[in-house]
Amino acid sequence: MPTEKRLPIFANWLLSKQNKRGWDVRKLLHFVLYEGADDLLWERLYKAAKTDEYRIPHYGLNSITEVVGWARPEIAPPRNGRTSKALRALGYNVKIY
């Protein structure tokens, strides 16, 4: 099945998932991104990805942090394997996954 046909099917499936609080992905992301102090974003990320109450099946830490990096680059710049390798090449001691 081509990507353009798969994408809406997957998106609808993922958006139908909820956590134990009854939140879908959109509400979970709003919580992580905007519901609290910027310096505690890491705590909300942990809750969203690792705790039974907040976690949504099939939507993990890497997916959430990718959105956070693009939505709030002023407090959590985007990072993936490619940017980690670039930072390493520039002399920063970062972990490369």
Side-chain angles (χ1 to χ4, degrees):
M1 180 182 291
T3 301
E4 60 272 358
K5 289 188 179 182
R6 252 183 307 155
L7 186 59
I9 294 169
F10 176 74
N12 288 329
W13 174 81
L14 183 61
L15 288 173
S16 73
K17 302 297 175 201
Q18 293 185 346
N19 62 18
K20 290 185 178 179
R21 295 180 141 231
W23 296 355
D24 66 8
V25 169
R26 294 166 293 194
K27 172 59 179 145
L28 183 70
L29 288 173
H30 189 274
F31 165 73
V32 171
L33 292 167
Y34 305 112
E35 293 184 21
D38 290 350
D39 61 337
L40 295 178
L41 184 125
W42 68 271
E43 196 173 81
R44 296 189 301 279
L45 271 170
Y46 180 84
K47 282 182 179 180
K50 301 293 183 180
T51 64
D52 287 339
E53 184 179 356
Y54 288 86
R55 190 179 74 76
I56 294 177
H58 308 287
Y59 195 65
L61 183 62
N62 289 341
S63 296
I64 299 168
T65 56
E66 186 79 15
V67 172
V68 169
W70 290 107
R72 303 289 311 270
E74 71 282 2
I75 59 170
R79 275 256 329 266
N80 56 29
R82 204 170 327 138
T83 56
S84 293
K85 288 176 186 175
L87 289 169
R88 186 81 143 176
L90 291 170
Y92 293 96
N93 186 19
V94 297
K95 184 175 182 179
I96 298 176
Y97 298 100

